[in-house]
């Protein structure tokens, strides 16, 4: 994540140590884990990385298997367990599993579409101890409902957000940039103030599931979007937390812009970006799908180094005999083209390898979502 509010406005949150004070060495670092507890979803989003549908899927981890998994994650030292899907609120034992995770010292968070939140659900989320709920909203009513494949989804999501806030749950928006909705970015940012929502995570599209490269922004559109985020964050100051996700080019962009406006501030920002280390798929972020398959991140659905029904997550994660997973952990020497020669490699770490694989059929090729020119990255 690139925390624009922290880097531009010194807005410090309880995630500070996760982003800037953890070891970058994969041997001692423990990942944030996304667990897709179910693949079933009541919506049919056009850009769903899991390809979820409103149907039952066979082979989900049982409650007992989930409890065994959570105990292993806690013993391994995983700091955060993100319950995702599909739609995690469709999993009947969600609160039971979360209570166990929290009791064992992990932070539990939810990624939801928000449409199923009722007053009773919001109260239960608060009582269980979830520290945060990220709710997906991908534009104004017409655009969001088109994305969701459901008329009325926008209204139901806003209702869910309001109910969560009323229950005292920390809630934030999740917005995925694509060529279909980037013009609604300003609407989403303005919604933070209108609805008094404290946090916004803006995701760059990753080519997985139903999302393809054809749906992504052109470089000039991406620069336009990130420039708007920069300007809006500056205006909001410490009143809101705005982050971008899945494209560490944003850190280099932010640094270059600050270097012209405030060189001293730019130096401090670069120090923090270096401490963050860039993309951490297979290092600081991991995923377990509904059937127990481990993935380097939640978008890497096409590859798994193992299943938690056969070996523990901790054993799979630390096993250097898996060529792909070990390559991600020590990737700098494997990168090719622009990424290998980029002046910002130490703050980007080659960006999203799964995007490069989807676009070029080469895991170590340049990430096509890098929107900076050769001159801007120091190879022109």
């Amino acid at each position: 994540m690139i925390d624009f509010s922290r880097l531009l406005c010194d807005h410090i949150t309880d995630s500070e140590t996760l982003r800037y004070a953890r070891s970058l060495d994969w041997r001692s670092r423990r990942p944030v884990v996304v667990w897709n507890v179910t693949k079933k979803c009541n919506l049919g989003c056009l850009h769903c990385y899991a390809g979820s549908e409103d149907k039952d899927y066979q082979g989900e981890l049982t409650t007992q298997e989930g409890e065994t998994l959570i105990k292993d994650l806690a013993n391994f030292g995983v700091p955060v367990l993100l319950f995702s899907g599909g739609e995690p609120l469709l999993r009947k034992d969600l609160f039971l599993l979360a209570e166990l995770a929290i009791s064992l010292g992990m932070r539990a968070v939810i990624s939801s579409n928000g449409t199923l939140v009722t007053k009773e659900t919001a109260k239960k989320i608060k009582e269980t101890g979830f520290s945060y709920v990220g709710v997906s909203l991908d534009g104004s009513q017409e655009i969001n409902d088109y994305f969701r494949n459901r008329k009325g989804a926008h209204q139901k999501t806003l209702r869910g957000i309001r109910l969560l806030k009323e229950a005292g749950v920390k809630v934030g928006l999740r917005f995925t940039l694509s060529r279909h909705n980037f013009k609604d970015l300003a609407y989403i940012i303005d919604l933070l103030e209108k609805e008094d929502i404290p946090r916004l995570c803006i995701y760059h599209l990753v080519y997985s599931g139903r999302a393809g490269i054809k749906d992504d922004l052109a470089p000039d559109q991406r620069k336009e979007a990130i420039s708007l985020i920069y300007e809006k964050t500056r205006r909001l100051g410490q009143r809101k937390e705005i982050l971008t996700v899945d494209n560490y080019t944003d850190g280099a962009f932010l640094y270059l812009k600050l270097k012209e406006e405030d060189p001293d501030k730019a130096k401090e920002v670069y120090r923090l970006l270096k401490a963050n280390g860039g993309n951490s798929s297979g290092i600081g972020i991991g995923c377990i799908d509904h059937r127990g398959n481990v993935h380097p991140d939640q978008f890497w659905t096409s590859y798994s180094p193992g299943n938690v029904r056969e070996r523990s997550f901790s054993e799979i994660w630390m096993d250097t005999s898996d060529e792909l997973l070990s390559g991600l952990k020590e990737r700098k020497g494997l990168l090719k083209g622009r990424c290998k020669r980029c002046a910002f490699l130490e703050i980007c770490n080659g960006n999203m390898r799964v995007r490069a694989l989807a676009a070029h059929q080469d895991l170590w090729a340049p990430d096509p979502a890098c929107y900076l020119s050769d001159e801007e990255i120091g190879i022109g």
Side-chain angles (χ1 to χ4, degrees):
M1 291 183 169
I2 301 296
D3 190 340
F4 274 64
S5 300
R6 170 66 175 94
L7 298 174
L8 289 175
C9 309
D10 299 319
H11 180 46
I12 298 175
T13 69
D14 55 8
S15 297
E16 180 82 2
T17 55
L18 281 176
R19 297 202 186 103
Y20 310 113
R22 289 202 294 167
S23 171
L24 298 182
D25 188 337
W26 64 267
R27 296 168 187 83
S28 56
R29 190 172 183 179
R30 296 296 179 259
V32 169
V33 171
V34 178
W35 179 16
N36 295 331
V37 292
T38 182
K39 190 173 180 180
K40 185 175 182 178
C41 185
N42 60 310
L43 302 181
C45 303
L46 299 181
H47 59 317
C48 177
Y49 67 79
S52 295
E53 298 179 32
D54 191 4
K55 67 178 186 180
D56 293 326
Y57 291 86
Q58 299 300 311
E60 287 184 358
L61 294 179
T62 65
T63 300
Q64 185 175 0
E65 289 171 329
E67 290 173 342
T68 299
L69 168 63
I70 288 170
K71 290 173 184 177
D72 173 60
L73 296 180
N75 289 333
F76 188 45
V78 166
V80 180
L81 181 56
L82 192 160
F83 291 87
S84 188
E87 172 50 55
L89 292 178
L90 289 171
R91 175 122 183 179
K92 294 180 180 179
D93 59 359
L94 173 67
F95 298 108
L96 176 67
L97 294 167
E99 285 173 354
L100 175 61
I102 294 166
S103 72
L104 293 175
M106 286 184 285
R107 284 179 57 200
V109 300
I110 303 177
S111 176
S112 171
N113 62 50
T115 62
L116 300 179
V117 175
T118 63
K119 183 175 289 188
E120 292 73 23
T121 304
K123 181 181 178 183
K124 185 64 175 176
I125 288 171
K126 177 64 176 179
E127 291 174 346
T128 300
F130 283 100
S131 59
Y132 177 72
V133 179
V135 179
S136 297
L137 193 69
D138 283 304
S140 55
Q141 182 170 319
E142 182 180 358
I143 292 294
N144 181 79
D145 289 1
Y146 166 74
F147 256 81
R148 299 282 176 251
N149 246 327
R150 294 291 189 279
K151 189 174 182 180
H154 182 274
Q155 183 179 0
K156 290 180 180 178
T157 296
L158 280 183
R159 182 194 63 193
I161 290 170
R162 290 163 184 161
L163 289 172
L164 287 165
K165 287 177 66 256
E166 287 174 12
V169 177
K170 182 181 179 181
V171 63
L173 292 180
R174 303 168 79 248
F175 174 83
T176 300
L177 278 169
S178 77
R179 68 178 180 85
H180 306 288
N181 69 348
F182 87 103
K183 289 294 186 182
D184 270 14
L185 176 60
Y187 163 85
I188 290 292
I189 298 176
D190 291 343
L191 195 65
L192 294 182
E193 290 192 286
K194 182 179 179 181
E195 295 288 338
D196 191 26
I197 299 168
R199 192 173 193 255
L200 168 63
C201 288
I202 301 163
Y203 285 74
H204 290 261
L205 192 72
V206 182
Y207 321 139
S208 178
R210 286 194 287 267
I213 193 169
K214 67 183 185 304
D215 301 305
D216 209 356
L217 298 174
D220 60 330
Q221 293 174 322
R222 204 181 300 272
K223 274 193 173 181
E224 179 184 338
I226 303 306
S227 294
L228 177 64
I229 294 168
Y230 184 96
E231 294 162 7
K232 291 279 191 179
T233 303
R234 275 278 175 95
R235 180 181 66 80
L236 289 168
Q238 296 187 2
R239 287 179 289 148
K240 304 293 179 185
E241 184 184 6
I242 298 180
L243 313 95
T244 63
V245 188
D246 299 329
N247 196 333
Y248 280 84
T249 309
D250 295 347
F253 175 89
L254 190 154
Y255 166 74
L256 288 172
K257 199 165 179 64
L258 273 178
K259 191 176 178 182
E260 295 179 355
E261 301 175 3
D262 188 345
D264 290 336
K265 179 70 172 175
K267 290 178 182 178
E268 171 61 11
V269 163
Y270 194 89
R271 183 190 69 79
L272 289 170
L273 290 169
K274 186 177 178 181
N276 178 271
N279 177 272
S280 65
S281 299
I283 306 169
I285 180 76
C287 178
I288 302 158
D289 70 22
H290 64 294
R291 291 192 176 101
N293 296 306
V294 174
H295 304 280
D297 62 43
Q298 64 268 46
F299 303 103
W300 216 301
T301 55
S302 62
Y303 181 79
S304 172
N307 188 290
V308 299
R309 284 180 164 133
E310 300 165 0
R311 290 193 296 161
S312 67
F313 175 88
S314 54
E315 183 181 349
I316 295 168
W317 197 252
M318 301 301 285
D319 185 357
T320 57
S321 68
D322 184 88
E323 186 176 349
L324 190 150
L325 195 56
S326 63
L328 288 173
K329 295 179 191 304
E330 302 280 2
R331 72 184 73 173
K332 288 186 173 67
L334 300 172
L335 296 170
K336 301 175 182 177
R338 299 175 80 239
C339 284
K340 184 179 183 66
R341 297 179 289 146
C342 178
F344 298 112
L345 182 55
E346 66 180 353
I347 67 171
C348 176
N349 203 30
N351 225 341
M352 290 292 288
R353 295 294 88 217
V354 71
R355 226 167 12 218
L357 181 63
H360 305 295
Q361 292 72 56
D362 184 345
L363 177 61
W364 308 115
D367 183 342
C370 178
Y371 53 92
L372 295 179
S373 67
D374 286 354
E375 183 178 1
E376 286 172 315
I377 67 172
I379 65 173

